Amino acid sequence: SQRLAVQRCTACDIRQHPPEEICHRCGGTTFAYDDLGPDGTVHSYTIAHYAVNRALAESVPYAVVLVSLDDDPAIRVVGNMPGTPLDAIHIGMAVAARWEEHVADDGTVIHLPQWEPR
């Protein structure tokens, strides 16, 4: 199964996401990455009714969720819940990540976590 790589400061051991150049706790600049499991809980969410980008026009309305990871609840990851009825999404919902592959304009392959009920 795939896992989420989360930045960890090697000076104070705090994890932070998204990755930054400087540790938000101690100001350190050296990092390692910890692999965390794909399970989490919906911490918050919103329903988007307006496409902020033309590429999303056919997807509205859609849910954007903020997921607190089970392996480190202080780490929260943003994603979508495609295929899940919008009225079924709620705070406290148990979810699992699945990876959606995208290819950037420069050919780079990107795996984005998307969320589904578990």
Side-chain angles (χ1 to χ4, degrees):
S1 70
Q2 292 184 306
R3 298 178 66 76
L4 298 163
V6 176
Q7 189 178 52
R8 179 179 44 81
C9 176
T10 57
C12 72
D13 271 346
I14 190 76
R15 291 180 182 137
Q16 61 186 25
H17 181 79
E20 299 284 343
E21 293 180 12
I22 298 172
C23 174
H24 66 262
R25 178 195 275 169
C26 75
T29 57
T30 306
F31 299 95
Y33 286 84
D34 292 340
D35 287 337
L36 302 183
D39 295 336
T41 303
V42 173
H43 178 79
S44 185
Y45 71 98
T46 189
I47 306 299
H49 293 275
Y50 173 76
V52 295
N53 184 298
R54 285 183 301 206
L56 299 172
E58 293 182 21
S59 298
V60 291
Y62 61 89
V64 178
V65 293
L66 181 62
V67 173
S68 181
L69 299 179
D70 288 357
D71 283 351
D72 188 338
I75 298 295
R76 298 189 179 135
V77 179
V78 174
N80 298 325
M81 290 192 69
T84 302
L86 298 180
D87 61 356
I89 299 167
H90 60 275
I91 292 171
M93 179 180 208
V95 295
R98 65 172 176 79
W99 279 257
E100 196 171 88
E101 187 174 294
H102 294 271
V103 180
D105 291 340
D106 67 359
T108 302
V109 176
I110 302 166
H111 291 97
L112 296 175
Q114 299 295 313
W115 302 93
E116 58 191 13
R118 63 174 159 103

